[in-house]
Every structure is written in structure tokens, then in C-alpha cells.
Amino acid sequence: MNFPVFWLSPSPSVFVIVLLLFVQVPSSVSNSALFADCSNKFVCGNVSADFPFWGTGRPPACGIPELELKCEDNIAKMNIDQVAYRVLDINQDDRILRIAREDYLVGLCPPQFVNSTFNPKVFESVEGYTNLTFIYGCMAAPTAMSVPGLFTCKINAVNYQSGYIQAGATGPGDCNGSVFVPISITELSPVVIMPDLEQSLKEGFEVRWKVDGEACRECNSSSGVCGIDSVTNQTTCYCPNQSSGSRTCALPGSTPNADPAIPAPGMYLNFSSNQFMKYSSHRLMLHTP
């Protein structure tokens, strides 16, 4: 069966509707919304932050993708390279973030063997910390260690016998699994007392984020707020009555300065210190009370 084909002559109202579909909302409108949103600080418990962080009232355009903050039960948290951290402190003047692994807040037996790694183009290590490796499930006790130095973990109903701790960021070797975590050097000695080590893990460690702080200060000085341009993936300055994409809130008709690029993904940090070199060539001895 053939159906008739009807040809409708377009009316002026149709042209108006089609035209509206292709008209973009002025960028100053969307930028004003970002100016308002990014002017809000992230506040959770005793932790507060603005750029380069985002989350909980601050949309993604307000910060670097790797620096998303969450507030759960009035506790600040974040995920970095598939590891959940509790945020203990944010020092924006020195760009220092103090965090503690959520899985090590309840003991030395994490449900998964995931290392604490960081994108070196977003983060850098802070002096006074070094990596410490927890090694799990060895078939035989290492010859360099005494039996009292070993520890045992039960993870996901599996008993991991003959676990031990080694200086530096290493792999499991012949053992079942391993996890390396940054730890304070001042609280570390050749003979590690387990309760002290667990307390040190709860107190966390520090990393420093890499952001062009001068560009953000220039933006703030021009009555703007800092954010990330979703198109160029660069630091930008949001202004109440101007389009984004400039370093500062420039006067109408002026040429904006070029923006610095946002860091790209990379590898993990190398936490090390000359103070700890004497312990780096051998396994640490553990002392259990």
C-alpha cells in the first residue's frame, strides 16, 4: 500500500524555532554560574579547600580531575589511583595535602593489594617521608628475619602467613602480594614496634600538588575565581560578566594572557630521603610486644 506524502510549506514560526536551536547561550551566562559555584569552598568537618580541588558543591570545572573531594559523615575523603584516602588536612598556602589510607586505618590487612601511587605531574613527594612495603603470604620465612618479626593476615577468608615489612617500594617477590605506602621517617626505626607503626599509618603522610599558584593569585587579584576550562583542559579565570579562558578578568576589549596547561597522567612518586638510605638495603626487623 502506498501512503501519500505531504509537503508542508514552512511558516515563519518554524524558522524561528530552528534558529533558536542553533543559537548558543552567551558564554558570560554560563561563566557567571561557574563564577558563583567555584566561589564556594569545599567544607567538610575541619577540612576546607578551594582551587584546585572540586566536589560537593564545586563542579568539575572548579578543579583538577585528580583532586575531587567527597564528604561522607562529615569526613573528607578522596580517591587517588584507585586507592581510597581520608583527608586529614589541606594546607593551601604550601600546597600540601595530608592523607591516610582508609584500608590501613583498621590494621595491616587491606582487602586488596594496591600500592599508593601518584601522578608525578600532579603530585610531588614531601621531604621527611619514604615508601615502606608490606609483603604478604610468603611460603617460607625470609632468612634475614627472626620469627618474632613476622605477622599474619586474614584477607577475604584467606590466611596470609609469614608477612613482613621492607624498606622502599618493592614488589612481592616470591610471596603472595605486597603494598607500599609512604610513611614518616621520623617515626621509623630499624626495629619497628607494630602498634607504633599502625598509629603512624593512621596519622597519614603528606604530598604536594603541582599547580601554577601564581596564575591563580593573578586571577583572584582581578576579582575572578580559578577553575579548569573543560575544552582546553587549562587553568582559567572565571569572571561574573566575561567569558572564561583567560588568566585574569580582563577589561572588555583587552587580550587575555595564555593559560598554563594542566598536567597529564604519569607514574608514581619516589618517596626517598638520604636519612633513610642506611635502611634501604635490608629488611626491617619487627618487634611485637
Side-chain angles (χ1 to χ4, degrees), residues 25-73:
V25 178
S27 58
S28 59
V29 174
S30 59
N31 190 48
S32 295
L34 288 174
F35 174 82
D37 291 338
C38 297
S39 295
N40 298 324
K41 275 194 172 187
F42 170 89
V43 178
C44 183
N46 61 350
V47 175
S48 63
D50 47 33
F51 183 82
F53 296 90
W54 64 280
T56 311
R58 291 174 55 82
C62 296
I64 295 176
E66 291 87 347
L67 298 181
E68 178 186 6
L69 296 173
K70 300 177 181 179
C71 189
E72 300 177 5
D73 298 325

Side-chain angles (χ1 to χ4, degrees), residues 1-279:
M1 180 182 298
N2 295 326
F3 293 93
V5 176
F6 295 93
W7 177 260
L8 299 178
S9 299
S11 64
S13 60
V14 174
F15 284 116
V16 172
I17 295 174
V18 173
L19 180 63
L20 289 175
L21 292 176
F22 290 92
V23 173
Q24 294 183 341
V25 178
S27 58
S28 59
V29 174
S30 59
N31 190 48
S32 295
L34 288 174
F35 174 82
D37 291 338
C38 297
S39 295
N40 298 324
K41 275 194 172 187
F42 170 89
V43 178
C44 183
N46 61 350
V47 175
S48 63
D50 47 33
F51 183 82
F53 296 90
W54 64 280
T56 311
R58 291 174 55 82
C62 296
I64 295 176
E66 291 87 347
L67 298 181
E68 178 186 6
L69 296 173
K70 300 177 181 179
C71 189
E72 300 177 5
D73 298 325
N74 213 31
I75 298 174
K77 300 181 180 182
M78 67 188 307
N79 292 322
I80 302 176
D81 281 3
Q82 301 180 343
V83 176
Y85 292 94
R86 182 168 299 188
V87 180
L88 304 178
D89 185 59
I90 297 177
N91 185 335
Q92 298 221 217
D93 292 334
D94 296 328
R95 297 180 291 110
I96 291 179
L97 174 69
R98 175 179 281 273
I99 51 180
R101 287 184 60 129
E102 286 279 349
D103 49 1
Y104 277 95
L105 291 177
V106 293
L108 300 180
C109 305
Q112 294 181 325
F113 300 136
V114 183
N115 295 319
S116 285
T117 59
F118 300 85
N119 183 345
K121 294 188 177 180
V122 178
F123 299 97
E124 62 184 5
S125 59
V126 175
E127 186 178 357
Y129 294 89
T130 189
N131 279 312
L132 195 66
T133 301
F134 297 83
I135 300 179
Y136 301 87
C138 301
M139 295 300 295
T143 57
M145 295 187 61
S146 61
V147 174
L150 303 176
F151 66 89
T152 301
C153 272
K154 186 174 183 179
I155 303 174
N156 299 327
V158 177
N159 286 317
Y160 290 90
Q161 306 289 335
S162 303
Y164 66 94
I165 298 174
Q166 182 169 314
T170 66
D174 295 330
C175 301
N176 211 299
S178 65
V179 178
F180 59 76
V181 184
I183 194 169
S184 173
I185 294 174
T186 59
E187 300 179 17
L188 194 61
S189 63
V191 178
V192 179
I193 301 174
M194 294 303 294
D196 293 345
L197 178 59
E198 293 183 22
Q199 180 60 33
S200 180
L201 290 170
K202 293 178 181 179
E203 294 175 358
F205 59 92
E206 296 177 330
V207 292
R208 180 178 286 107
W209 66 83
K210 296 180 178 180
V211 174
D212 186 357
E214 182 59 31
C216 196
R217 283 189 288 271
E218 290 180 8
C219 173
N220 293 335
S221 297
S222 67
S223 300
V225 293
C226 297
I228 297 296
D229 190 292
S230 60
V231 177
T232 63
N233 201 32
Q234 294 179 342
T235 303
T236 191
C237 189
Y238 296 127
C239 311
N241 296 309
Q242 293 179 199
S243 62
S244 61
S246 61
R247 180 181 288 269
T248 61
C249 292
L251 295 174
S254 63
T255 303
N257 296 324
D259 291 322
I262 291 298
M267 300 171 64
Y268 62 86
L269 299 184
N270 179 22
F271 284 85
S272 62
S273 171
N274 293 332
Q275 304 172 29
F276 196 67
M277 289 299 293
K278 60 182 179 180
Y279 303 130

